[in-house]
Amino acid sequence: MVYLIVEFYIQPDQVAAAEELFRQHVKDGRADRGNLMFQMLRDPEDRTRFTSLEQWENRDDVDHHDAQPHHAPFLRKLKEIQVREKEVRFLEVL
């Protein structure tokens, strides 16, 4: 299994747009092959900071998710509303 944590940094005036975008992204991601868990979390002390927590069968399934038709539009919209580039971390279970 592979865990994926992604940190997102959103412009303060774009939080509502980010919430809508992330809700759809989670819905789409949960339907992708090999997804075992997909959650979007928000920092309660900084409402502009979001974190996705994902669990996938393997790295190929993550790559498959990234290649799906819904992923490119998500990234384009994200680029318009983020303050800085997202940070991606892959983690493995011991």
Side-chain angles (χ1 to χ4, degrees):
M1 274 185 278
V2 174
Y3 284 85
L4 181 61
I5 296 174
V6 184
E7 299 285 343
F8 299 93
Y9 307 92
I10 303 301
Q11 297 171 23
D13 64 338
Q14 296 295 320
V15 169
E19 290 172 358
E20 183 178 330
L21 181 64
F22 290 144
R23 282 188 185 98
Q24 185 62 50
H25 185 58
V26 167
K27 181 180 176 184
D28 292 339
R30 287 178 178 164
D32 286 343
R33 180 188 80 197
N35 181 260
L36 302 172
M37 179 188 60
F38 202 130
Q39 298 288 329
M40 185 63 68
L41 310 168
R42 181 182 22 220
D43 184 332
E45 295 181 14
D46 181 354
R47 309 239 350 129
T48 67
R49 188 169 177 186
F50 296 80
T51 302
S52 72
L53 177 58
E54 307 169 33
Q55 182 182 15
W56 299 86
E57 288 283 345
N58 55 56
R59 184 67 185 258
D60 288 341
D61 290 333
V62 176
D63 294 341
H64 181 263
H65 162 69
D66 289 348
Q68 294 309 296
H70 61 78
H71 202 259
F74 164 75
L75 292 176
R76 279 194 301 274
K77 291 176 186 173
L78 177 64
K79 189 169 191 145
E80 296 172 4
I81 64 171
Q82 63 187 0
V83 173
R84 67 179 215 221
E85 186 60 35
K86 66 188 180 308
E87 297 174 14
V88 180
R89 293 179 48 210
F90 284 91
L91 303 168
E92 298 176 344
V93 176
L94 293 177

